[in-house]
């Protein structure tokens, strides 16, 4: 059985704050096959690497009195959030902020690195990965996740066009480097594929809920995410995208008794690869049968959980601790 790709999820956030340069450097040094940045927009139209556009919990923005008036409430993909949002800041302003650990209660060691590094631009990360690949002689990829595409489009941002331009400017639109583009919203994937951008396109699937772009267009008639892993849903994706990336619960605790191996076999029959997210070793993130003890921050039987995923035939795994992931999935 082929070993799955090991992808550094937001860098190496099990050890250092997510989406920081040092977190990505650690993931690359660990030998991952690719890294996964999430991108959102700045006010002046740049792509920055952040998990969400709300940055109150992942930067020190609240400590900057000059930005106090920018705290606001917005509805993002149907969820009301209060905080500070990247689209209200220029790239230069964001560069003056410093990153923080998103889960300090679970990852206090990572939180020790709070306040050291600025928010990364996508262009900076692309240059880092390309330089590391050249120096190591390895092909290292990027799995680029586009966040909140419909929300940003409604604000007037050219989502697909900006992604294309930034990839082109960084030398990542030639097919030279392994590139995947993923989103929980299929419309932006269609838009990007229509440009001819050479990448593999991956539809991200939650265990519950509906894609925000389809809800915006069709309301309650929009298909739920689990539909897309049904035989009918996979058939509809065949030829449209190159793969799906599923919440690991859809493999480890599948609905209606359908095994992970069966789901993956059906996807492969539709010529779709299957990634899964996110492999984290702490009890808080393991499915119940692999938890050990009551300490949410303690490591559970992650090796058992990940062995089950590897045996399913999955094509790629997102990991927060790249060294553990490489050891588990490459043997």
């Amino acid at each position: 059985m082929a070993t799955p790709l090991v992808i550094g999820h937001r860098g190496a956030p099990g050890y250092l704050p997510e989406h920081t340069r040092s977190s990505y450097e650690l993931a690359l040094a660990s030998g991952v096959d690719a890294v996964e940045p999430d991108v959102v927009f700045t006010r002046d139209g740049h792509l920055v690497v952040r998990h969400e556009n709300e940055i109150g919990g992942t930067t020190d923005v609240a400590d900057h009195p000059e930005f106090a008036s920018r705290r606001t409430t917005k509805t993002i993909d149907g969820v009301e959030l209060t905080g500070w949002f990247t689209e209200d800041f220029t790239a230069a302003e964001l560069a003056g902020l410093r990153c923080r650990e998103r889960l300090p209660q679970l990852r206090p060691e990572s939180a020790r690195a709070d306040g050291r590094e600025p928010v990364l631009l996508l262009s900076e990360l692309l240059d880092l990965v390309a330089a590391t690949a050249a120096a190591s002689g390895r092909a290292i990829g990027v799995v680029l996740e586009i966040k909140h595409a419909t929300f940003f489009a409604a604000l007037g941002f050219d989502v697909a066009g900006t992604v294309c331009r930034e990839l082109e400017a960084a030398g990542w639109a030639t097919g030279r480097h392994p590139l995947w583009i993923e989103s929980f919203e299929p419309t932006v994937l269609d838009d990007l594929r229509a440009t001819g951008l050479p990448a593999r396109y991956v539809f991200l699937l939650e265990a519950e809920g509906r894609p925000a772009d389809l809800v915006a267009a069709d309301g309650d008639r929009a298909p739920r995410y689990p539909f897309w892993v049904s035989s009918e849903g996979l058939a509809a994706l065949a030829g449209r995208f190159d793969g799906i990336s599923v919440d690991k619960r859809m493999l480890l605790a599948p609905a209606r008794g359908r095994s992970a191996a069966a789901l993956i076999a059906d996807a492969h029959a539709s010529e779709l690869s299957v990634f899964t997210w996110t492999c984290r070793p702490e009890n808080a993130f393991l499915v119940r049968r692999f938890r050990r003890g009551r300490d949410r921050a303690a490591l559970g039987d992650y090796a058992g959980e990940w062995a089950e995923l590897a045996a399913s035939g999955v094509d790629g795994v997102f990991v927060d601790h790249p060294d553990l992931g490489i050891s588990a999935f490459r043997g």
Side-chain angles (χ1 to χ4, degrees):
M1 179 182 296
T3 58
L5 294 171
V6 178
I7 304 159
H9 179 245
R10 310 176 199 166
Y15 300 112
L16 291 164
E18 66 187 26
H19 290 318
T20 57
R21 184 180 186 91
S22 62
S23 187
Y24 282 108
E25 287 175 338
L26 180 57
L28 294 167
S30 298
V32 294
D33 298 297
V35 292
E36 185 241 19
D38 304 306
V39 293
V40 292
F41 279 83
T42 68
R43 186 173 69 194
D44 48 348
H46 294 282
L47 293 172
V48 290
V49 182
R50 289 282 90 193
H51 177 236
E52 295 292 341
N53 55 331
E54 199 292 299
I55 54 172
T58 59
T59 73
D60 64 353
V61 65
D63 297 335
H64 288 254
E66 69 272 27
F67 297 138
S69 63
R70 298 195 201 177
R71 188 172 187 266
T72 188
T73 299
K74 301 188 182 190
T75 299
I76 314 295
D77 297 348
V79 178
E80 187 175 276
L81 297 172
T82 297
W84 291 263
F85 298 85
T86 59
E87 65 271 15
D88 297 328
F89 294 78
T90 65
E93 287 173 330
L94 290 175
L97 303 180
R98 291 297 176 265
C99 298
R100 288 181 172 173
E101 168 57 44
R102 187 170 60 89
L103 303 168
Q105 299 303 315
L106 291 176
R107 293 174 173 172
E109 290 301 315
S110 175
R112 294 177 189 271
D114 283 358
R116 297 179 184 175
E117 299 181 68
V119 174
L120 272 178
L121 291 168
L122 174 62
S123 58
E124 294 172 321
L125 176 61
L126 295 172
D127 289 348
L128 172 63
V129 178
T132 304
S136 66
R138 296 194 299 119
I140 307 173
V142 163
V143 183
L144 178 61
E145 181 179 346
I146 300 170
K147 305 289 292 210
H148 310 305
T150 301
F151 170 80
F152 284 118
L155 295 178
F157 291 100
D158 177 9
V159 178
T162 303
V163 171
C164 286
R165 286 191 292 272
E166 294 212 5
L167 289 169
E168 288 169 357
W172 278 77
T174 65
R176 177 182 176 188
H177 303 290
L179 176 64
W180 294 260
I181 301 203
E182 62 179 6
S183 178
F184 287 103
E185 301 175 60
T187 303
V188 70
L189 297 177
D190 289 330
D191 292 344
L192 278 161
R193 188 157 211 166
T195 70
L197 179 71
R200 281 163 279 187
Y201 293 88
V202 178
F203 185 18
L204 281 158
L205 301 176
E206 298 263 19
E208 301 173 352
R210 295 181 170 94
D213 56 334
L214 303 187
V215 170
D218 300 321
D220 288 342
R221 293 176 297 165
R224 293 186 174 276
Y225 282 115
F227 162 76
W228 300 105
V229 297
S230 68
S231 296
E232 181 183 358
L234 291 170
L237 296 177
R240 181 180 178 186
F241 301 134
D242 301 292
I244 57 174
S245 185
V246 302
D247 183 327
K248 67 179 182 179
R249 290 178 293 167
M250 300 171 85
L251 301 178
L252 296 168
R256 301 183 182 89
R258 185 183 184 203
S259 71
L263 186 160
I264 291 169
D266 288 346
H268 288 171
S270 293
E271 299 186 350
L272 296 164
S273 61
V274 181
F275 292 173
T276 193
W277 49 274
T278 302
C279 293
R280 295 166 165 143
E282 297 100 339
N283 278 322
F285 305 112
L286 297 172
V287 297
R288 186 174 301 277
R289 64 182 178 277
F290 293 107
R291 297 172 195 166
R292 298 294 180 267
R294 296 186 178 183
D295 183 352
R296 287 170 51 81
L299 303 190
D301 182 18
Y302 68 89
E305 182 184 272
W306 299 359
E308 190 170 313
L309 288 172
S312 72
V314 72
D315 301 294
V317 293
F318 294 89
V319 300
D320 278 9
H321 298 69
D323 57 335
L324 300 183
I326 287 169
S327 177
F329 290 103
R330 291 186 186 165

